[in-house]
Amino acid sequence: MQAWPVDNSFQAFKRQLPICRNSVYSEFYDFFRDVIKVKRESAAIKNLETICTATFELASKHGFDAMSLRDLSRSTGISMGGLYNYIGSKDELAQMVNDFLSRRLAPMAALNNPKQDKPRDLLETLLRTAIYMGSLFRPWYRFVYMESKTMARKQRDQAKSFDLYDTQRLRELIEAGVRAGDMDCANPELSASALLAMVQDWYLKSWKYKRNNIDPDDYADFLVSTMDKLLACKDQ
Amino acid sequence: MQAWPVDNSFQAFKRQLPICRNSVYSEFYDFFRDVIKVKRESAAIKNLETICTATFELASKHGFDAMSLRDLSRSTGISMGGLYNYIGSKDELAQMVNDFLSRRLAPMAALNNPKQDKPRDLLETLLRTAIYMGSLFRPWYRFVYMESKTMARKQRDQAKSFDLYDTQRLRELIEAGVRAGDMDCANPELSASALLAMVQDWYLKSWKYKRNNIDPDDYADFLVSTMDKLLACKDQ
DNA sequence: GTCTATAGTGCGATAGAC
DNA sequence: GTCTATCGCACTATAGAC
């Protein structure tokens, strides 16, 4: 029984995803229609892109807490008062990024997944999706990873529970594979953590991978082959 | 030819290391004798421990930049003026931690390494050393990883070059193993990055590993077995 | 050697002009 | 809808008492 061939490339992923790098700020505007005071849509979307881009840039250089709204105002060319038509407060800006990624952007990738039965193939899809999403929206993922610890207690715990959730989802697939006899793994929990650490390294150390000309397909291929070795997968 | 059996446990590592958790602040005082204005040694060492411990705690909660010297003063019970007898400035405090780890603490582990020839065994020693050092001095490693990006340009570049150096050292050992016919690895650079990401995950996500009762020996054993699988090592 | 008090700076946020 | 001007506050760092 031969499964229908699946195109696992970054190209194919982008084609199927119901959002792209260009439409993300239009989605962002829709998502926060209620809190954003500016009603002229086209200008608002353009300014949101400017604000987010500058925030990612400044926060990655000195941390979100060290970034002042004066810095942000200077970088974006939008006055202090103008910024408050978009963000409510500085803390709220960080929360908006966090919420948009976890409630809107990330869920879109899940819709994209092909229907598969074998745990090993589900694992591959899960890992590839994480790498491809991280490639398309790297600044968002980086920001949430790095800054979630500085946010309010509630947000910090949320970040931890996302990490635990991801680890657990990987672990359960590994355990299912072992039960099915397709894999061999002495420590599903640690193996899941290791795979997750490799996923996160992709957007945390983008400078290193760019330097070495590793593209998303290269990294995803490597990650999947590592998974196959780590879990001694049959029929790779 | 049977090599002398090597004790690779955390216990054995601690026994051989010429520094321990208790003596680290005495070393710290020695290392910064010139800049620390307090000359009464015993009191100075005790206060340095209080200051560093509180700094790690506060910085891990909200980031070093968000931590104020008032917070630090309150946590340590040392007045604002008193702090300046130890640290010169807030930025200098971060640099002291960074310098002490990279110039004093980390080099001590290197002295500890047994003499070994085979690339695979050298790799094991390197990885175990990293995990055990990270276990003993976790807050130091965490702080430097998380805060180096917020430091001055020079320090940021230093952090990157340490990462590149570690990756390269791992890669060269992998390449040597492949040449010697002991390993099989299609992509030494990415394999080295993956191992390094797992090392760093150990001190970045300590909360997760503590939660699951993973101790340093468990993690080091898992890391080495992962290395053996990833590199298809012979004679493990 | 450690404290209190404070100088001087830059912050987040807002009110009100246009 | 965006700007300028400004308020009140918290910060780092220091000076001088003890």
Side-chain angles (χ1 to χ4, degrees), chain B residues 62-91:
Chain B
H62 306 104
F64 181 74
D65 282 285
M67 171 193 96
S68 75
L69 291 189
R70 281 176 159 73
D71 291 337
L72 190 58
S73 169
R74 206 173 307 118
S75 286
T76 56
I78 301 168
S79 69
M80 291 284 294
L83 286 176
Y84 277 86
N85 288 319
Y86 293 94
I87 61 164
S89 77
K90 189 189 169 188
D91 283 345

Side-chain angles (χ1 to χ4, degrees), chain A residues 57 60-62 207 211, chain B residues 65 91 94-95 98 147-162 164:
Chain A
E57 165 97 21
S60 86
K61 272 195 190 135
H62 306 105
W207 57 271
R211 204 186 117 105
Chain B
D65 282 285
D91 283 345
Q95 283 177 31
N98 191 59
E147 307 302 340
S148 60
K149 75 177 186 326
T150 75
M151 297 177 190
R153 174 93 211 185
K154 199 178 142 192
Q155 302 255 334
R156 253 182 301 144
D157 292 346
Q158 195 195 36
K160 284 191 184 180
S161 75
F162 280 140
L164 287 174

Side-chain angles (χ1 to χ4, degrees), chain B residues 1-229:
Chain B
M1 196 180 85
Q2 170 66 47
W4 200 248
V6 178
D7 185 350
N8 270 326
S9 71
F10 187 33
Q11 273 290 340
F13 178 84
K14 281 190 285 190
R15 221 166 23 234
Q16 286 162 32
L17 194 70
I19 193 173
C20 65
R21 249 195 277 247
N22 295 330
S23 63
V24 64
Y25 291 101
S26 156
E27 290 278 344
F28 191 88
Y29 179 72
D30 278 353
F31 196 71
F32 293 111
R33 236 176 232 287
D34 301 337
V35 297
I36 294 170
K37 298 197 189 75
V38 181
K39 293 305 165 198
R40 258 182 52 238
E41 192 163 324
S42 66
I45 290 170
K46 191 173 137 288
N47 278 337
L48 283 172
E49 174 161 4
T50 309
I51 291 169
C52 287
T53 306
T55 300
F56 295 146
E57 166 96 19
L58 290 168
S60 86
K61 271 195 192 137
H62 306 104
F64 181 74
D65 282 285
M67 171 193 96
S68 75
L69 291 189
R70 281 176 159 73
D71 291 337
L72 190 58
S73 169
R74 206 173 307 118
S75 286
T76 56
I78 301 168
S79 69
M80 291 284 294
L83 286 176
Y84 277 86
N85 288 319
Y86 293 94
I87 61 164
S89 77
K90 189 189 169 188
D91 283 345
E92 205 176 283
L93 170 57
Q95 283 177 31
M96 286 167 87
V97 171
N98 191 59
D99 287 353
F100 183 68
L101 178 62
S102 59
R103 300 217 170 97
R104 186 90 246 231
L105 220 43
M108 282 192 161
L111 303 171
N112 209 18
N113 291 350
K115 303 292 163 283
Q116 287 164 324
D117 293 333
K118 287 173 59 183
R120 187 239 161 247
D121 294 337
L122 281 166
L123 266 176
E124 170 162 11
T125 301
L126 214 65
L127 293 175
R128 285 193 185 273
T129 298
I131 296 304
Y132 297 153
M133 285 297 282
S135 306
L136 280 171
F137 308 109
R138 183 172 289 163
W140 298 80
Y141 281 92
R142 249 188 80 90
F143 182 91
V144 169
Y145 183 97
M146 296 301 282
E147 307 302 340
S148 60
K149 75 177 186 326
T150 75
M151 297 177 190
R153 174 93 211 185
K154 199 178 142 192
Q155 302 255 334
R156 253 182 301 144
D157 292 346
Q158 195 195 36
K160 284 191 184 180
S161 75
F162 280 140
D163 195 296
L164 287 174
Y165 177 72
D166 290 340
T167 312
Q168 188 183 324
R169 210 163 43 145
L170 291 170
R171 199 195 63 217
E172 284 169 359
L173 283 173
I174 295 171
E175 287 168 343
V178 171
R179 272 198 307 276
D182 296 334
M183 302 177 186
D184 181 26
C185 179
N187 199 325
E189 175 74 26
L190 281 178
S191 301
S193 284
L195 292 173
L196 186 60
M198 289 178 65
V199 167
Q200 291 169 341
D201 207 56
W202 170 246
Y203 50 80
L204 290 177
K205 304 257 186 68
S206 57
W207 57 271
K208 186 166 71 173
Y209 296 111
K210 197 167 290 172
R211 206 185 116 103
N212 292 322
N213 293 317
I214 311 288
D215 70 25
D217 284 308
D218 294 333
Y219 198 82
D221 290 348
F222 173 74
L223 180 54
V224 170
S225 84
T226 299
M227 174 198 82
D228 282 329
K229 284 177 192 158

